[in-house]
Amino acid sequence: MSALFRRRRRSSALASYFYGHVRNFFTHTSSTAPLIEATGLYGFNHLKTPKGFQRFVDDAIERSNELVNYISGMPSAPHIIQSMDEISDTVCSVIDSAELCRATHPDRVFVEEASKASLRINEYIHYLNTNHSLYKAVVKAEEDAHLLSEEAQRVAHHLRLDLEKGGIHLCNEKLGQANQLNMDIVQLCREFNENIITDPGHVDIFPASCIPKKLHHLVKPIYRTRSGAFRGSALSASMKEKGFQLVTEPNTLSSILQWVSDAEVRKMAYVQGNSVPHANLGILDKLIAARHEFAQIMGHNSYAEFAVQSSMASSPNVVLSFLLEMSEIVRPKADEEFKAIWNFKREKSGQLCVDLEPWDETYYTALMKSSAYDLDSSVVASYFPLSQCLEGLKVLTESLFGVTFHCIPLAPGESWHPDVLKICLHHPDEGDLGHLYLDLKSRNNKHPVCAHFAIKGGRRVSETEYQLPVVALVCNFFGSKPASGMLNHWEVETLFHEFGHALHSLLSRTDYQHFSGTRVVLDFAETPSNLFEYYAWDFRVLKKFARHYSTGDIIPEDMVKSMLGAKQMFSATELQRQIFYALIDQKLFGEQPSSVRDTVSLVAELKRQHTSWKHVDGTHWHTRFNHLASYGAGYYSYLYAKCFAATIWQKICQEDPLSLATGSAIRFKFLQHGGAKDAGDILNDLVGKGILNSRYGSIIPDITSLSHEMEIKNCYQEQHGF
């Protein structure tokens, strides 16, 4: 959201067993339990039918207009801020519900109505963000800051800045231009993301023997006439050659690159998968131009300058300085890893003169990890049935926060699919803290997203009433292998990552929805999610829930050590890749030259400069990098978060990751504040010295902990003679 308002089929008995086990483990009901009254989606009575979205929007607009009229009368500063926050809460509930429905609901009629609702409410938000009466009231409230609480003062200040980011303070002519560009940007981002889904690319592979049997579920059989066969005659089976068509969407492409031994097949898949969607080359050019023009109207030299002005970094020069320093530090170890992969390929091929190609990386690094640590991903997955992974989330909440984590019945009409679970977080002294919907399995027509949706933000309604947060955690586990019921470890890490976001929303206790949970500055938002990834790798945590689906045996400690060793093997290469992505994002939305920008050439040059790998001519991987649309000069925030999380883990969590003392520090010094406190103050209060550095008056992360974790500091010190 912009400016003021941010933002069942079972394939096998085994799958039924795992699903039933999840339900039985978390559900505690009895035959005498009271009947639950029917409601609509997510507990909103309006959403009992698809058409209910129309009334949902109508009522939101009606209530918001009442509040707009009230605010226009210039009441006291506290009432202005409270009313503005209620408007935000009202419209955000509609938007977030509509987006969740669009991403997950199996009924296309619901999805279509949600899409209409999204368009209507966004049009209304445009009206709110250009309403001068609201702007004047917010300015008045900020001027009367002495009448406000500390958090309300912060809300007033941020509301004014957010409205001005939409251009409300400009003259009518420039405001009109800014509004049109904003709408153009929204549409271009939507087209960019839709093209990624609708045009994933495909490649035909012959013969069929090139594709290992364990990947056949990812491909579609195809046939062609064998050379020499007479096309005019009826073809017998022997005259047809079987092959496979594979769709080069990211997950399938990753599996092909990892498991297919035929280098030519990997090359075909890599080139095709990194050359779509072609239409996004033009869309991206238009998006860059529109964002740059918008930024200039707003008085900035670049969109990057506009985007990061209110972040901890505050300046694109600071971001670039941070990224270039990280690139220099990681380069020596990344080059060592590249050389090791190259030598391994030469050894395997028996050829001294052989090039290491980009389509070789995933294949050979997987072989090297397997060889060094004797790891079988399917064996590792056998310790992570979904039911046990949810037990892991339960262990976290109970051990860290003293909070119970249990499933409660869904009211008729509340759920959008039989797989959905509803979780209540309950504290013995504080009562219910919030509710969490879990929709974790992939299915047809479900958007391939792993994300957390804040359906309702926490906010104080009165002195005695607090609106509890309601969150949905959505993942796409199992893919086309639902019978397994088990997660790969990278999926476990993803689950813990998204749960970190959910906890940020569920455990924050801000007075205003405007600052609830993840509504924080851009380069702070990913810190909780990165922190909770560590819990998915620590044996002291894993032994509490990771049990073999058949024997019930706890995951062996030696296996976890091997998993960590394998993770560390190419950590510099992975970090280098993330730096490269962030540099692309910064450069594309940085200061623009007068001539038309060639994004393919820019990306190719950045890859040559900042990675150990070469660019493949004809490819344009960045046209399927959806973060260019969703973040726009903000992707560096993942690296900020990675550094912050490493420091927090080492200084706060590592010694005793599941203790109540650790949990109290995380909850009361960090998560509960949402965006109601300055991000730098939160981090300093939590960790003390050694998490932040100052540069040019801005904040960058201290990289010491991450460097120590990745064993890259020594390389840097040796390189510079320290």
Side-chain angles (χ1 to χ4, degrees):
M1 289 171 246
S2 63
L4 174 58
F5 303 102
R6 294 171 285 176
R7 42 177 203 187
R8 141 152 90 171
R9 175 183 298 173
R10 300 281 166 257
S11 61
S12 73
L14 183 62
S16 297
Y17 165 77
F18 279 112
Y19 180 71
H21 189 67
V22 170
R23 287 262 185 219
N24 293 336
F25 185 85
F26 285 101
T27 305
H28 304 284
T29 59
S30 70
S31 58
T32 59
L35 293 174
I36 302 175
E37 192 173 332
T39 183
L41 283 176
Y42 327 127
F44 293 115
N45 284 322
H46 286 319
L47 302 184
K48 292 178 179 178
T49 67
K51 290 294 183 184
F53 268 107
Q54 294 182 19
R55 185 56 189 268
F56 201 20
V57 176
D58 290 341
D59 282 5
I61 291 175
E62 181 180 346
R63 176 55 182 158
S64 297
N65 282 339
E66 291 174 357
L67 291 165
V68 168
N69 290 335
Y70 173 69
I71 294 168
S72 299
M74 294 295 175
S76 67
H79 288 116
I80 289 172
I81 299 306
Q82 185 178 17
S83 299
M84 290 289 288
D85 196 63
E86 185 180 342
I87 294 175
S88 179
D89 180 62
T90 301
V91 298
C92 284
S93 289
V94 177
I95 290 176
D96 294 329
S97 297
E99 290 307 307
L100 176 59
C101 182
R102 292 177 67 221
T104 63
H105 208 292
D107 187 335
R108 301 316 296 171
V109 180
F110 259 108
V111 172
E112 289 167 5
E113 290 299 324
S115 296
K116 293 176 185 176
S118 179
L119 289 172
R120 282 187 62 208
I121 200 69
N122 273 293
E123 289 174 358
Y124 182 70
I125 287 173
H126 172 69
Y127 155 74
L128 293 173
N129 286 332
T130 55
N131 188 301
H132 286 274
S133 294
L134 294 182
Y135 179 58
K136 290 176 183 176
V138 168
V139 171
K140 174 183 180 295
E142 188 177 15
E143 290 172 348
D144 293 340
H146 62 284
L147 300 175
L148 300 171
S149 67
E150 186 175 342
E151 183 178 335
Q153 291 178 30
R154 185 174 172 86
V155 172
H157 178 67
H158 281 261
L159 283 172
R160 177 180 62 78
L161 293 180
D162 289 343
L163 283 166
E164 289 176 356
K165 285 179 185 176
I168 197 170
H169 59 301
L170 301 174
C171 68
N172 287 337
E173 180 182 358
K174 285 190 174 182
L175 178 58
Q177 293 172 344
N179 288 337
Q180 183 59 54
L181 285 166
N182 253 328
M183 289 187 285
D184 292 345
I185 289 166
V186 169
Q187 182 58 33
L188 288 167
C189 289
R190 180 169 290 187
E191 289 180 29
F192 189 89
N193 288 325
E194 287 177 353
N195 286 342
I196 293 171
I197 296 170
T198 59
D199 184 18
H202 72 272
V203 62
D204 295 342
I205 304 297
F206 289 94
S209 58
C210 292
I211 305 296
K213 286 186 178 180
K214 64 180 175 181
L215 299 182
H216 284 188
H217 66 285
L218 297 175
V219 295
K220 182 177 79 173
I222 55 174
Y223 299 88
R224 69 180 180 186
T225 305
R226 292 184 185 275
S227 58
F230 180 54
R231 291 183 177 273
S233 63
L235 295 174
S236 66
S238 63
M239 295 178 180
K240 295 179 182 178
E241 182 181 19
K242 181 180 179 181
F244 287 112
Q245 183 177 93
L246 64 95
V247 176
T248 53
E249 58 86 26
N251 289 334
T252 300
L253 178 59
S254 177
S255 295
I256 294 296
L257 293 176
Q258 179 173 346
W259 297 110
V260 174
S261 59
D262 190 312
E264 191 58 33
V265 172
R266 295 200 308 273
K267 177 181 178 180
M268 291 170 62
Y270 178 92
V271 171
Q272 177 60 28
N274 288 283
S275 303
V276 289
H278 190 78
N280 273 358
L281 285 170
I283 296 294
L284 183 58
D285 284 343
K286 293 177 182 177
L287 179 60
I288 291 169
R291 281 177 166 169
H292 184 64
E293 185 178 353
F294 174 80
Q296 289 192 311
I297 289 174
M298 297 299 297
H300 293 277
N301 294 318
S302 68
Y303 186 78
E305 184 177 278
F306 168 79
V308 305
Q309 62 178 322
S310 58
S311 66
M312 284 190 282
S314 77
S315 162
N317 291 332
V318 171
V319 174
L320 281 173
S321 173
F322 167 72
L323 293 175
L324 293 174
E325 179 182 1
M326 290 282 285
S327 179
E328 183 181 5
I329 289 172
V330 79
R331 187 61 183 255
K333 188 174 182 183
D335 284 345
E336 287 179 9
E337 292 174 359
F338 180 87
K339 187 175 181 180
I341 303 168
W342 194 359
N343 288 334
F344 185 82
K345 179 181 178 180
R346 288 195 292 188
E347 180 183 323
K348 283 290 182 182
S349 66
Q351 302 176 33
L352 291 177
C353 297
V354 61
D355 289 333
L356 187 59
E357 306 290 352
W359 51 85
D360 291 330
E361 180 186 353
T362 305
Y363 179 71
Y364 284 108
T365 54
L367 283 179
M368 292 173 73
K369 289 179 179 182
S370 177
S371 173
Y373 293 100
D374 192 26
L375 279 175
D376 184 325
S377 59
S378 63
V379 174
V380 173
S382 67
Y383 289 92
F384 295 105
L386 178 58
S387 60
Q388 290 302 116
C389 294
L390 295 183
E391 166 70 7
L393 303 186
K394 184 179 179 183
V395 166
L396 277 184
T397 53
E398 291 184 352
S399 299
L400 285 171
F401 311 119
V403 170
T404 59
F405 179 95
H406 58 273
C407 187
I408 59 176
L410 285 140
E414 183 179 1
S415 178
W416 55 100
H417 193 274
D419 282 352
V420 174
L421 302 174
K422 185 178 182 181
I423 306 297
C424 176
L425 268 68
H426 180 86
H427 192 279
D429 299 324
E430 302 171 46
D432 291 347
L433 300 180
H435 295 96
L436 170 66
Y437 295 104
L438 294 176
D439 183 4
L440 303 179
K441 298 183 180 182
S442 63
R443 56 181 176 267
N444 290 336
N445 297 321
K446 181 180 178 183
H447 196 285
V449 65
C450 287
H452 125 286
F453 294 81
I455 301 169
K456 280 186 182 178
R459 61 188 289 261
R460 185 155 300 286
V461 179
S462 68
E463 290 186 4
T464 58
E465 184 182 359
Y466 192 84
Q467 175 177 290
L468 295 180
V470 180
V471 171
L473 199 161
V474 178
C475 293
N476 271 272
F477 297 145
F478 307 138
S480 52
K481 53 177 180 61
S484 73
M486 291 173 285
L487 304 187
N488 296 312
H489 187 261
W490 68 265
E491 292 175 314
V492 179
E493 184 181 56
T494 297
L495 177 63
F496 277 60
H497 176 102
E498 297 302 338
F499 190 59
H501 282 309
L503 286 174
H504 203 181
S505 290
L506 292 165
L507 297 180
S508 77
R509 281 300 177 269
T510 57
D511 288 341
Y512 298 95
Q513 181 265 0
H514 195 73
F515 287 141
S516 177
T518 57
R519 291 179 170 90
V520 297
V521 291
L522 181 68
D523 40 17
F524 184 52
E526 293 293 331
T527 303
S529 55
N530 273 263
L531 175 62
F532 278 90
E533 286 182 17
Y534 282 91
Y535 283 88
W537 289 94
D538 193 289
F539 177 70
R540 292 166 295 179
V541 178
L542 294 177
K543 71 179 181 180
K544 300 284 188 180
F545 73 90
R547 294 178 178 272
H548 195 276
Y549 77 94
S550 176
T551 66
D553 292 340
I554 296 171
I555 190 170
E557 186 171 7
D558 287 345
M559 180 180 287
V560 177
K561 288 180 179 178
S562 293
M563 291 160 57
L564 285 164
K567 177 190 179 187
Q568 187 68 16
M569 276 186 77
F570 303 104
S571 58
T573 299
E574 179 55 35
L575 179 60
Q576 188 181 66
R577 186 174 7 258
Q578 294 302 315
I579 295 166
F580 165 57
Y581 294 168
L583 283 166
I584 292 173
D585 184 42
Q586 283 296 308
K587 291 289 187 179
L588 289 180
F589 298 110
E591 293 186 35
Q592 305 294 299
S594 57
S595 59
V596 176
R597 196 179 196 96
D598 180 358
T599 63
V600 177
S601 297
L602 183 143
V603 170
E605 182 60 26
L606 286 174
K607 188 167 188 179
R608 283 189 286 267
Q609 290 177 353
H610 297 284
T611 82
S612 309
W613 298 80
K614 62 185 176 184
H615 172 75
V616 179
D617 290 341
T619 62
H620 42 84
W621 162 87
H622 58 291
T623 57
R624 69 193 305 174
F625 187 43
N626 63 346
H627 291 290
L628 294 177
S630 58
Y631 273 78
Y635 191 76
Y636 77 92
S637 60
Y638 280 95
L639 290 164
Y640 262 49
K642 194 172 182 68
C643 293
F644 293 146
T647 305
I648 295 169
W649 176 259
Q650 290 180 29
K651 297 196 174 186
I652 302 297
C653 307
Q654 191 170 49
E655 183 176 340
D656 194 354
L658 290 175
S659 72
L660 279 173
T662 298
S664 293
I666 293 173
R667 181 183 176 191
F668 295 116
K669 292 186 177 183
F670 182 4
L671 300 179
Q672 79 165 10
H673 297 299
K677 282 185 67 175
D678 180 80
D681 290 342
I682 290 174
L683 291 169
N684 278 325
D685 289 347
L686 177 64
V687 176
K689 294 181 179 179
I691 192 166
L692 303 176
N693 286 322
S694 179
R695 182 171 298 174
Y696 311 125
S698 302
I699 294 173
I700 64 168
D702 188 294
I703 64 174
T704 304
S705 294
L706 182 63
S707 298
H708 175 74
E709 174 187 309
M710 299 183 61
E711 300 176 355
I712 58 177
K713 191 165 186 177
N714 287 341
C715 296
Y716 180 69
Q717 290 174 333
E718 290 170 6
Q719 182 188 27
H720 291 270
F722 295 161

